[in-house]
Amino acid sequence: MKLPSSQSWSRFSEFVRTPSLARSVTGLLVLAFVLLLTVNISTFVMIQRTAAVNDAIEHAQQMRRQSRSVLIAMLNAETAQRGFLLTGRSDFLTPFEEARAAREPALAFLEEGAAADPTLRAPVAQIRRLSDAKLREMEATLALAREGRIGQAIQTVRSGEGKRYMDELRQTIDDFDAFKSARIAERTRVSERAAMMTVVMNAITGLLVLVLALLSAWMVRRYVGEIQHAREEVAAINAGLEDMVRDRTAALTRANEEIQRFAYIVSHDLRAPLVNVMGYTSELEQAGKIIERGVTEAEAEGEVPADIVTAVREDMPEALGFIRASTEKMDRLINAILRLSREGRRNLLPETLDMTAMARNIADSVHHQTEAAGAQIRVEALPSIESDRLSMEQILGNLVDNAVKYLDAGRPGEIVISGEDLPGGWVVYRVADNGRGIAARDHERIFELFRRSGKQDRRGEGLGLAFVRNSVRRIGGTIDIESELGKGSTFLLKFPKRLILSEPGGVL
């Protein structure tokens, strides 16, 4: 057990000490990961703080509403008291009792909030004292009125004691409301600053990750150029210098292995931070909308600094647009470079497939192209199969796309997708067209990488059919072609009715 550990550490130490493309790219990836981890942690902290501030704002709003509820209850009670004193009608006592009952929950909420905030205890206690005093004054006048001493009750009202209580209560509640409003405004500003800081931090991190990705791509391009130059030097070496040839060949072998390792690193690690940047860009756009809404609300209540408005409505959208455009461009570049390296690393997931529905969906996806070309796609009833969905979609999709791309403009296009079960647990599918056709000498060449046949008047890299054959073989099938130049082509796909992996979740 000690020997493998020692060897692993030795290899790692050598990798760290030896300057190489893999070491440089690994360093860049580690830096990108650290940046993303930092921004993730910072964003999480900011979100937690923003949530806490928002909860505090919501509680403050509720405190304001409850203080107003106390005032409204006391006003309703006073109205009912005076109605009873003026008319003597007992039905005025019902709204009085309802107002008195409505006062208690509001006061209880205020006192609960004041228990957690010492700065609120004095005003809340004052609200309680004044409302209790006003309530006692009204209950006393109602008691006199019930005893038939209306004149004495009215005289008590005219004394102004109740009015003084109400005026003080109203002023106390107004002061309390103003105090809470100021707190809400301050916490809103804190929340907006935190959100702005989060957006700026994410934007800067996204730009840094993008720069690292571009730097990695540049290093790859430069390194590939160096390898090509080395190959040319090897080709020019005199055959008699065998030792030098062996040295150069060994160097090229090491370089090619390093390129393969680099392709693996990029395909599995560089894509992850790029996808995160894209995801965070969408999150930033949503956060920008929320901030914009907050600024609009703030503008409705007062003046907002011009630099904040400019940052929210001009600088942030411009920066996010640049990030999105750059990440999309980088994504296309990585896809072009690493398309081959990604093939064959996916887990196959066999499932029962409705091939008729799949073929019709593929036909619908190119309907606008066939309609523009005056062509039609006919999908016959296809036998079902238990295989990998994504592989089958890619195979049929590529073949249909090719058939549409190379239709003969001299006659109405027709593409037919058909299939049938075969003895021995096999199934065959056919994709036939009446397009340009393929010369017999090119029947095998079209399945090779970067090889195309016929007139080159359509865009393409010569990868489609190579990927199709690769995918067909990976799921245990075969592909053949029957074609005649100028008449059309038929691709025949033969698969086992049920895909059986060597082990669950096997990777081919």
Side-chain angles (χ1 to χ4, degrees):
M1 296 298 294
K2 294 183 179 180
L3 183 58
S5 300
S6 176
Q7 291 178 345
S8 299
W9 175 252
S10 177
R11 287 195 296 268
F12 176 76
S13 300
E14 183 180 358
F15 173 78
V16 172
R17 291 194 306 268
T18 305
S20 65
L21 177 64
R23 191 186 71 169
S24 300
V25 172
T26 301
L28 291 175
L29 292 176
V30 170
L31 180 58
F33 175 78
V34 171
L35 288 173
L36 289 175
L37 182 62
T38 302
V39 77
N40 281 338
I41 295 174
S42 301
T43 301
F44 177 77
V45 173
M46 290 296 182
I47 289 174
Q48 295 298 316
R49 290 183 179 178
T50 302
V53 171
N54 290 338
D55 290 343
I57 291 174
E58 176 61 25
H59 187 267
Q61 293 284 17
Q62 292 181 8
M63 292 280 284
R64 292 177 60 195
R65 288 193 291 269
Q66 295 303 325
S67 66
R68 291 295 174 182
S69 296
V70 172
L71 180 60
I72 291 171
M74 297 306 297
L75 290 173
N76 291 340
E78 187 179 53
T79 301
Q81 171 216 19
R82 294 180 179 181
F84 179 76
L85 294 179
L86 292 175
T87 64
R89 291 168 50 186
S90 61
D91 54 348
F92 278 98
L93 295 178
T94 299
F96 177 83
E97 294 299 331
E98 291 175 349
R100 180 166 61 179
R103 180 189 76 121
E104 285 306 320
L107 283 172
F109 186 88
L110 292 175
E111 289 170 344
E112 182 181 354
D117 189 348
T119 61
L120 301 178
R121 291 174 185 171
V124 169
Q126 181 73 353
I127 292 173
R128 163 67 80 173
R129 185 184 64 79
L130 292 172
S131 62
D132 286 347
K134 175 60 180 177
L135 189 62
R136 286 194 298 271
E137 182 266 339
M138 290 188 290
E139 289 174 341
T141 59
L142 292 177
L144 291 173
R146 291 192 188 96
E147 295 172 359
R149 293 186 288 175
I150 297 295
Q152 187 176 352
I154 293 176
Q155 186 62 32
T156 300
V157 173
R158 288 176 177 175
S159 68
E161 182 182 11
K163 179 178 182 302
R164 179 172 58 81
Y165 288 147
M166 282 302 297
D167 290 342
E168 291 181 8
L169 178 62
R170 186 179 289 107
Q171 184 61 47
T172 301
I173 290 176
D174 287 342
D175 293 342
F176 181 81
D177 187 86
F179 176 75
K180 297 301 289 184
S181 296
R183 273 196 173 182
I184 290 172
E186 175 60 26
R187 285 169 175 166
T188 300
R189 287 192 293 271
V190 170
S191 178
E192 290 174 352
R193 285 196 297 269
M196 177 71 71
M197 185 180 300
T198 302
V199 169
V200 171
M201 184 180 300
N202 279 275
I204 293 174
T205 303
L207 288 173
L208 290 175
V209 172
L210 181 60
V211 169
L212 293 176
L214 292 173
L215 181 59
S216 297
W218 173 80
M219 293 176 65
V220 171
R221 182 176 180 181
R222 189 186 69 174
Y223 201 74
V224 168
E226 292 176 356
I227 291 176
Q228 183 62 35
H229 180 69
R231 286 176 176 172
E232 292 173 356
E233 288 184 354
V234 170
I237 291 178
N238 189 284
L241 304 176
E242 295 180 357
D243 291 340
M244 183 178 292
V245 169
R246 282 195 297 269
D247 292 342
R248 295 286 186 175
T249 302
L252 280 175
T253 300
R254 289 193 299 271
N256 283 327
E257 290 174 351
E258 192 169 47
I259 283 293
Q260 292 174 359
R261 289 195 299 271
F262 166 74
Y264 179 85
I265 292 172
V266 174
S267 63
H268 288 77
D269 296 333
L270 186 57
R271 291 283 298 163
L274 186 61
V275 169
N276 283 338
V277 171
M278 292 179 176
Y280 279 120
T281 301
S282 299
E283 293 291 335
L284 290 175
E285 290 173 345
Q286 294 301 318
K289 294 178 182 178
I290 295 174
I291 296 174
E292 163 66 17
R293 187 162 59 250
V295 170
T296 302
E297 293 174 356
E299 286 178 330
E301 298 179 0
E303 183 177 356
V304 177
D307 56 343
I308 294 179
V309 175
T310 301
V312 171
R313 295 180 177 168
E314 296 180 11
D315 297 341
M316 283 172 48
E318 181 180 2
L320 290 174
F322 171 77
I323 292 173
R324 181 170 291 281
S326 299
T327 52
E328 289 175 351
K329 181 176 180 180
M330 191 60 201
D331 186 49
R332 291 194 298 270
L333 177 61
I334 292 175
N335 285 336
I337 295 174
L338 302 175
R339 190 174 179 185
L340 284 174
S341 68
R342 290 196 304 265
E343 290 299 318
R345 299 186 182 277
R346 182 176 59 84
N347 287 337
L348 297 179
L349 301 173
E351 60 178 292
T352 301
L353 305 176
D354 184 346
M355 295 301 297
T356 304
M358 180 185 294
R360 286 174 178 165
N361 289 336
I362 292 172
D364 291 341
S365 69
V366 296
H367 176 71
H368 63 288
Q369 300 175 36
T370 55
E371 186 177 27
Q376 64 174 352
I377 301 178
R378 179 159 50 90
V379 180
E380 299 181 357
L382 304 177
S384 62
I385 188 174
E386 184 177 336
S387 190
D388 181 72
R389 177 179 296 276
L390 183 57
S391 296
M392 294 300 297
E393 288 177 342
Q394 290 176 340
I395 292 167
L396 281 183
N398 271 283
L399 293 179
V400 171
D401 284 342
N402 269 7
V404 173
K405 183 186 296 185
Y406 295 108
L407 287 170
D408 191 337
R411 57 178 178 268
E414 183 178 11
I415 301 169
V416 180
I417 305 175
S418 60
E420 61 188 27
D421 285 312
L422 297 179
W426 290 82
V427 62
V428 64
Y429 301 109
R430 300 180 185 86
V431 179
D433 64 75
N434 63 342
R436 300 179 181 181
I438 301 171
R441 66 178 181 274
D442 292 329
H443 283 187
E444 182 61 27
R445 290 180 56 195
I446 60 173
F447 294 106
E448 297 175 5
L449 285 171
F450 310 112
R451 301 297 291 272
R452 305 174 69 189
S453 68
K455 187 178 180 181
Q456 306 299 311
D457 59 348
R458 296 289 189 271
R459 293 183 60 184
E461 297 81 22
L463 296 173
L465 290 178
F467 287 136
V468 166
R469 183 166 67 173
N470 218 23
S471 298
V472 168
R473 289 175 174 174
R474 290 181 190 283
I475 56 177
T478 61
I479 180 170
D480 293 303
I481 182 173
E482 297 174 356
S483 182
E484 187 176 345
L485 195 61
K487 292 187 177 181
S489 304
T490 299
F491 287 90
L492 298 97
L493 303 165
K494 184 179 178 182
F495 299 103
K497 187 73 175 177
R498 181 183 181 191
L499 173 62
I500 301 178
L501 301 177
S502 57
E503 55 187 57
V507 180
L508 298 181

